[in-house]
Amino acid sequence: ATDTKNVENAIKNNTKMIWLETPTNPLLKVCDIAKIAKIAEKRGLILVVDNTFLSPYFQKPLDLGASISLHSTTKYIGGHSDTLGGAVVTNSTKLYEKIQFYQNSIGAVLSPFDSYLNMRGLKSLALRMERHQQNAFAVAKFLEKYPKVKRVFYAGLPSHPQHKLAKKQQSGFGGVISFELHGTQKGAEKFLSKLRVFSIAESLGGVESLAELPCVMTHASISREERHSIGISDTFIRISVGVEAVEDLISDLKQAL
C-alpha cells in the first residue's frame, strides 16, 4: 500500500472498505493517507486507518480524508500497560450513528475502570509522546552508527524510504523503532537475553521500553519464507522506546550488543 496504484488495482466490485496501517508493524512503512482517501472517495469506499503507532498526537487521519481512525488504546492512549481497549473515531454522522447502534446492541464497551484508565492516560499523552519521540530519535541515531546493526527502520531518519511523506502527513515519528542485526537468529536471541532496562514483550506504547524478536514472537505464525520475502529476517528486532533516561537506554543496548 506504499504504492497507491497497488491499492487502486486491488479494488474489486464487492470491495466496501480500504483498511490501512501506517506506519506498518513491524517494518514501519508509511502509506499516503490523503492519496488513498481520494481513491476511496472516488469509489465510494470507507477508508479506515489504524493510527495506533503514532496516536492522535502525531497523526490525524480524519484531517487527511480518512472515514475512520482506529486506535488500540492499550498502547499509547492508555500509555501504562495496564488496560485493554480500542477506539473507533469518525467525523461522519452517518457512520457514527451506525457504529453507536452496534455498540449499544452488541455491548462492545469498556468497563468503567478501563475507561477511567484511558481517560487518565490521555491527560499525559502529549508529554509522553514528546518524550517517546525524543528518546527514539537518540536511540535510532545510535543504532544507525553501530557496526553490528545492519539497518534501522524509523521514519524520522532521512535514510527511511518514506521520510519525506512521513514529514508531510505526520507531526512526529513516534517511539517505535525496528532494526536488523548482522549475524544469526541465535545471536539476536542472545542480544535480547542480555538487555536489562528493556523488557522482552510483544506490546508497545507504554512508559517502559520493550523489545521483541518478531520471527519467534509477534510474527511467529507467518512462514519463514513469507517473513523473509517482506523483509522480516531472523535478526529483525522491534523496540518500543519508553520514557526512561535515554542514557540508560543507549547504555543498555550498547552492552547487550
Side-chain angles (χ1 to χ4, degrees):
T2 53
D3 184 345
T4 52
K5 288 178 184 175
N6 290 335
V7 177
E8 198 151 24
N9 293 337
I11 296 170
K12 299 176 183 178
N13 292 332
N14 62 346
T15 301
K16 294 183 179 181
M17 177 186 287
I18 298 172
W19 184 91
L20 285 180
E21 181 182 51
T22 181
T24 65
N25 179 28
L27 289 158
L28 304 176
K29 293 178 180 178
V30 179
C31 305
D32 194 323
I33 297 171
K35 280 187 180 178
I36 295 170
K38 286 178 183 175
I39 294 169
E41 186 181 17
K42 188 171 70 176
R43 300 292 192 98
L45 307 176
I46 294 169
L47 173 61
V48 180
V49 177
D50 187 329
N51 197 32
T52 296
F53 268 40
L54 290 177
S55 87
Y57 185 74
F58 281 139
Q59 184 167 263
K60 295 178 171 59
L62 300 183
D63 289 351
L64 296 167
S67 318
I68 291 171
S69 182
L70 188 71
H71 296 275
S72 168
T73 59
T74 306
K75 312 300 194 297
Y76 287 111
I77 288 177
H80 294 77
S81 306
D82 55 8
T83 177
L84 291 173
V88 177
V89 188
T90 182
N91 52 14
S92 160
T93 304
K94 187 180 177 182
L95 283 174
Y96 168 75
E97 288 173 352
K98 198 170 184 179
I99 292 164
Q100 191 187 40
F101 172 79
Y102 283 122
Q103 184 187 42
N104 184 57
S105 59
I106 296 168
V109 293
L110 291 178
S111 72
F113 189 64
D114 282 310
S115 300
Y116 156 74
L117 289 174
N118 281 318
M119 292 295 287
R120 180 204 63 177
L122 274 171
K123 290 174 184 177
S124 62
L125 180 67
L127 291 170
R128 288 185 285 105
M129 294 310 292
E130 288 289 351
R131 182 59 176 255
H132 282 300
Q133 176 173 256
Q134 182 185 339
N135 284 357
F137 257 118
V139 168
K141 287 173 183 175
F142 159 76
L143 289 170
E144 201 169 41
K145 291 176 182 175
Y146 205 82
K148 290 183 181 178
V149 176
K150 194 173 180 180
R151 53 180 174 161
V152 178
F153 303 79
Y154 185 63
L157 296 174
S159 58
H160 190 283
Q162 287 108 25
H163 175 65
K164 286 183 179 178
L165 172 60
K167 282 179 73 177
K168 181 183 173 186
Q169 74 179 14
Q170 303 167 194
S171 60
F173 307 100
V176 178
I177 302 169
S178 292
F179 60 98
E180 192 177 359
L181 295 175
H182 288 291
T184 63
Q185 182 180 322
K186 191 176 178 181
E189 289 173 358
K190 189 176 181 183
F191 159 74
L192 288 173
S193 73
K194 296 290 183 183
L195 290 169
R196 294 292 174 263
V197 180
F198 284 80
S199 296
I200 312 305
E202 290 189 1
S203 194
L204 60 101
V207 290
E208 65 286 304
S209 292
L210 305 176
E212 68 112 359
L213 189 62
C215 71
V216 293
M217 294 173 73
T218 50
H219 293 69
S221 61
I222 301 171
S223 70
R224 190 169 187 265
E225 292 72 26
E226 192 178 346
R227 275 192 288 101
H228 281 217
S229 70
I230 59 174
I232 304 172
S233 72
D234 297 338
T235 62
F236 185 97
I237 290 165
R238 190 196 73 190
I239 59 174
S240 175
V241 182
V243 301
E244 304 93 339
V246 73
E247 298 85 0
D248 291 343
L249 298 178
I250 291 173
S251 177
D252 191 34
L253 290 167
K254 194 173 183 179
Q255 65 82 19
L257 285 165

